[in-house]
Amino acid sequence: MDLEVKGVAASPRCQTQSFSGRKKPLQQGWTSKSWAIQNSCLPVVPRLDLGSLVDSDEEEQDIIPEDLPAPTGKYKLKYQQYKTEMKEAYKQYSQRNAEKKKSNTTHQTSPRDNIEDKCVPGEAAVTGDLTTLDRKALLQRCFADNPDHVLQSTRKSNAEIVAAEKKKQIVAEQVMVDHLSRAVISDPEQNLTTEKQEDACILPDSYITPLRFRKRTLHETKIRTHSTLTENILSHKVQFEGRIISRNGRDACRELVGFFFIHDHSLTIYEYRQFGKNRTNVLPFIQKNIYSHQRGRRKGKQYQLGDFYIGANLTFLSSDHPRLPESIKENTLLILRITNIDQKALETLRINSVGHESDIISQEANDRLVFQAIQDKLKEQLHKKGVRILTGLEKYFQQLDKEGNGLLDKADFKQALKVFHLEVSEEDFESSWLILNDSGDGRVDYGEFRRAVIGEMNEYRKSFVRKAFMKLDFNKTGSVSITDIRKCYCAKKHPQVISGHSTEEEIKLSFLETLTNACSKPDEVSYGEFEDYYEGLSIGVVDDEDYVTILRTPWGI
């Protein structure tokens, strides 16, 4: 019997041996390998005929038909739109690049020299008034020099806008449901009306009736009363987003959405929580009530519509809100910063609103001018040294703060400015001190002093700093280990890596070295330290989208 498998002919001798070998069980101690050695007659594989193979290009040419139809107008239009977008993106990139070259008149060394230079901690290894750590930190700005980032950032921004609108809608619906329900349930006139109706329908023996047969209703929603809130009244509101000014990562990254109601000048704030991709929760953070300013020139005055704008601070007494987290109740004041607001609703309602006193407005305007003059002078000194000075200044303030309450006196602030060679005239310092020390106790929070004198990046930039940190801090602990940062940081799209001047590992090591230098602990980074690092990096970046790209590219947000 001849056996042929897939064109391979087996001889009768080989066939007999192979089948007889299969019938007999393997002897004890024998393996399949040793059996294969004894039965050395294996099937013969035929030689491959390379001449019968057809080249892939020739094969494709035969498959593609010659009478293809011409492209339709729809596809021509799409191609033209794509071509226009790419030209516009490259044109914007070229313009920004030309502006950067004009502004940067100082000589820049090669990227490899920037990375390979070593700096001994504590010594002034200075080249052109810049230490090696300064030059390594400046490498992070190169992420903005990628010409493809304009189109990518536009697509990501569109997705973020859709997600933000969905979040606003979820919170607004929850607020309306909560307050409409509470207004009906807690209305005393509602109870009187229902009691009269029940008394009119009571039968003589109704009190003897078993409980399960009695009509038990909590309230009658069809009855209208004078004090009951309606959806029309609650619709006259301004919706805004806010954040807590804190160095605690868990508190600073809370997503807060607030509402200011025009009919009674009350406000409420809700916290938006997201668990995974699809599960969300909306809970009250500040109960609906009428509140007043707790500090500043408007201390004691009720909140008005003019108090709500991007960058405004809302202050609350922590003792008035017992349900706040313990980390927030440690401080006397809870300070919320408005990060975004419904401008359309604000402009509509502002027409009929009552403004503040003109003297308070003029005084606040003068205060801002004093701080702005100091900030403009210091920005020139911090243009390329912002990361090292801001992170070092925060660590120095913490060393001076022996009590741990965040308050320092005038002598401490003067000493800190002198140590870090930040030149502020005596007149400017005294003017700023009179504004900040509104309580008159001679002590000021050093975080507030730094924000007022040195300045801070806008809320649009800070929102991306929080996004990057929230991606790293997936356990919501407020701090991230250096190991996790090393894993998440990606330098593949850094221009120096793409051009071959530096490796990905070199860029990553330069970033980790500058970041760990800003940390009080060698193995972890807190939210405050992470924010200080990117706060210093923000000083020399003019365009907001360039700064967002510096955060988007390595962290993938």
Side-chain angles (χ1 to χ4, degrees):
M1 180 177 65
D2 294 335
L3 179 65
E4 186 173 346
V5 181
K6 294 184 180 180
V8 180
S11 63
R13 181 179 178 182
C14 295
Q15 175 193 355
T16 307
Q17 288 182 357
S18 60
F19 277 97
S20 62
R22 291 180 186 175
K23 288 179 182 178
K24 294 180 182 180
L26 294 174
Q27 297 180 9
Q28 189 173 1
W30 281 50
T31 61
S32 58
K33 184 176 180 180
S34 59
W35 178 84
I37 294 173
Q38 291 293 329
N39 299 270
S40 57
C41 184
L42 298 175
V44 180
V45 180
R47 183 177 298 176
L48 182 63
D49 186 9
L50 298 177
S52 61
L53 297 178
V54 183
D55 187 65
S56 58
D57 296 336
E58 296 177 0
E59 192 174 358
E60 288 180 1
Q61 291 175 0
D62 295 336
I63 294 174
I64 298 175
E66 297 179 358
D67 53 345
L68 279 176
T72 61
K74 178 181 177 181
Y75 287 101
K76 287 182 178 179
L77 181 62
K78 284 186 176 180
Y79 174 76
Q80 194 67 27
Q81 290 176 350
Y82 175 77
K83 187 177 179 181
T84 306
E85 288 179 1
M86 292 300 294
K87 284 184 177 180
E88 187 65 26
Y90 186 76
K91 183 180 178 182
Q92 294 176 4
Y93 165 74
S94 302
Q95 290 176 354
R96 280 200 301 272
N97 220 14
E99 292 175 359
K100 290 177 186 177
K101 289 180 180 179
K102 289 180 182 178
S103 60
N104 297 333
T105 56
T106 56
H107 176 70
Q108 295 181 354
T109 56
S110 65
R112 183 170 293 277
D113 294 337
N114 288 345
I115 297 174
E116 291 179 352
D117 289 343
K118 301 297 180 181
C119 177
V120 180
E123 296 184 7
V126 180
T127 304
D129 201 27
L130 294 179
T131 65
T132 305
L133 289 176
D134 291 332
R135 289 183 277 119
K136 288 184 178 181
L138 289 174
L139 284 175
Q140 299 303 308
R141 294 185 188 174
C142 297
F143 278 112
D145 295 334
N146 190 349
D148 299 331
H149 81 271
V150 178
L151 192 60
Q152 294 173 0
S153 62
T154 304
R155 293 172 181 171
K156 290 182 179 180
S157 298
N158 294 335
E160 288 165 357
I161 291 172
V162 173
E165 290 298 326
K166 183 179 179 181
K167 181 180 75 173
K168 290 179 183 178
Q169 184 178 359
I170 292 173
V171 178
E173 290 176 356
Q174 186 64 43
V175 169
M176 296 294 285
V177 169
D178 286 354
H179 290 87
L180 287 173
S181 302
R182 289 173 187 168
V184 174
I185 294 173
S186 61
D187 187 5
E189 189 177 347
Q190 173 85 42
N191 296 334
L192 293 174
T193 310
T194 53
E195 286 175 3
K196 289 179 182 179
Q197 286 189 350
E198 289 179 358
D199 292 341
C201 302
I202 287 177
L203 298 175
D205 58 343
S206 62
Y207 291 104
I208 312 174
T209 309
L211 186 63
R212 64 179 180 275
F213 294 117
R214 297 180 193 176
K215 183 182 180 182
R216 294 172 293 165
T217 55
L218 184 62
H219 61 277
E220 181 60 48
T221 57
K222 294 181 180 179
I223 299 175
R224 294 180 178 272
T225 58
H226 296 290
S227 60
T228 301
L229 290 175
T230 63
E231 188 173 354
N232 186 30
I233 294 175
L234 290 176
S235 63
H236 297 289
K237 64 183 185 301
V238 176
Q239 184 173 348
F240 59 90
E241 298 177 17
R243 65 177 178 88
I244 301 174
I245 296 181
S246 173
R247 294 185 65 81
N248 185 310
R250 295 186 65 182
D251 297 332
C253 294
R254 294 181 187 271
E255 298 183 66
L256 303 179
V257 181
F259 299 85
F260 179 74
F261 300 97
I262 301 300
H263 72 281
D264 60 351
H265 289 183
S266 63
L267 68 90
T268 182
I269 297 175
Y270 276 64
E271 182 180 2
Y272 177 84
R273 295 181 181 180
Q274 186 166 359
F275 308 92
K277 292 185 178 180
N278 300 320
R279 186 185 171 193
T280 59
N281 197 1
V282 182
L283 297 174
F285 192 77
I286 299 292
Q287 297 293 337
K288 185 176 182 293
N289 206 342
I290 300 174
Y291 296 99
S292 303
H293 293 271
Q294 300 300 323
R295 66 181 306 174
R297 297 193 181 274
R298 303 184 189 185
K299 184 177 181 180
K301 297 183 179 295
Q302 290 185 4
Y303 285 111
Q304 304 290 335
L305 188 63
D307 295 322
F308 294 87
Y309 54 89
I310 296 178
N313 289 342
L314 307 178
T315 53
F316 305 89
L317 289 176
S318 302
S319 57
D320 293 342
H321 307 280
R323 295 185 179 180
L324 290 175
E326 293 297 329
S327 57
I328 297 178
K329 289 193 291 186
E330 292 176 357
N331 301 318
T332 307
L333 282 181
L334 167 63
I335 306 177
L336 300 181
R337 172 72 58 83
I338 296 178
T339 59
N340 197 8
I341 197 167
D342 186 356
Q343 292 289 351
K344 186 177 180 180
L346 185 65
E347 294 297 331
T348 304
L349 298 172
R350 187 176 288 172
I351 300 172
N352 301 322
S353 65
V354 180
H356 288 286
E357 294 85 348
S358 58
D359 56 342
I360 295 180
I361 295 176
S362 61
Q363 288 173 359
E364 291 178 339
N366 292 332
D367 295 345
R368 286 192 291 269
L369 290 176
V370 170
F371 291 133
Q372 189 64 46
I374 301 174
Q375 292 171 13
D376 292 341
K377 294 176 183 177
L378 291 180
K379 277 184 180 179
E380 297 177 2
Q381 305 175 36
L382 297 171
H383 181 66
K384 293 186 177 181
K385 301 179 289 183
V387 173
R388 177 172 55 87
I389 291 182
L390 285 186
T391 55
L393 194 63
E394 188 65 31
K395 291 167 69 174
Y396 189 74
F397 283 150
Q398 292 176 1
Q399 293 174 3
L400 295 177
D401 183 18
K402 304 298 182 182
E403 299 178 5
N405 55 9
L407 301 176
L408 296 175
D409 56 20
K410 185 190 293 187
D412 292 332
F413 289 118
K414 285 187 175 182
Q415 181 182 350
L417 294 175
K418 185 178 180 181
V419 168
F420 286 90
H421 307 286
L422 297 176
E423 299 176 1
V424 178
S425 65
E426 187 68 23
E427 182 182 355
D428 290 339
F429 184 86
E430 291 297 332
S431 301
S432 62
W433 183 259
L434 288 174
I435 299 171
L436 295 172
N437 188 27
D438 53 356
S439 60
D441 61 352
R443 309 183 77 187
V444 172
D445 181 85
Y446 57 77
E448 184 181 355
F449 177 86
R450 199 194 70 175
R451 289 190 295 270
V453 174
I454 298 180
E456 56 182 332
M457 55 184 165
N458 58 41
E459 295 302 323
Y460 178 69
R461 297 188 181 194
K462 283 202 173 185
S463 65
F464 285 92
V465 175
R466 291 196 300 275
K467 284 180 183 179
F469 189 82
M470 289 166 67
K471 181 178 180 179
L472 297 170
D473 185 22
F474 49 85
N475 290 327
K476 311 295 182 185
T477 59
S479 61
V480 185
S481 66
I482 293 294
T483 305
D484 291 338
I485 290 178
R486 186 185 183 91
K487 290 178 182 177
C488 296
Y489 184 87
C490 178
K492 289 182 179 179
K493 296 183 180 180
H494 194 282
Q496 307 303 334
V497 176
I498 296 174
S499 62
H501 289 86
S502 305
T503 64
E504 184 180 353
E505 189 64 22
E506 286 175 338
I507 299 295
K508 184 181 293 187
L509 287 176
S510 66
F511 168 74
L512 292 174
E513 183 180 349
T514 54
L515 183 63
T516 51
N517 184 69
C519 302
S520 55
K521 297 181 180 179
D523 56 345
E524 70 177 17
V525 182
S526 67
Y527 171 77
E529 294 163 344
F530 189 82
E531 185 184 48
D532 289 342
Y533 180 90
Y534 280 101
E535 184 82 58
L537 202 64
S538 172
I539 293 177
V541 182
V542 179
D543 189 70
D544 285 344
E545 294 304 324
D546 284 347
Y547 182 78
V548 170
T549 305
I550 293 172
L551 280 160
R552 280 190 191 275
T553 309
W555 301 117
I557 57 174

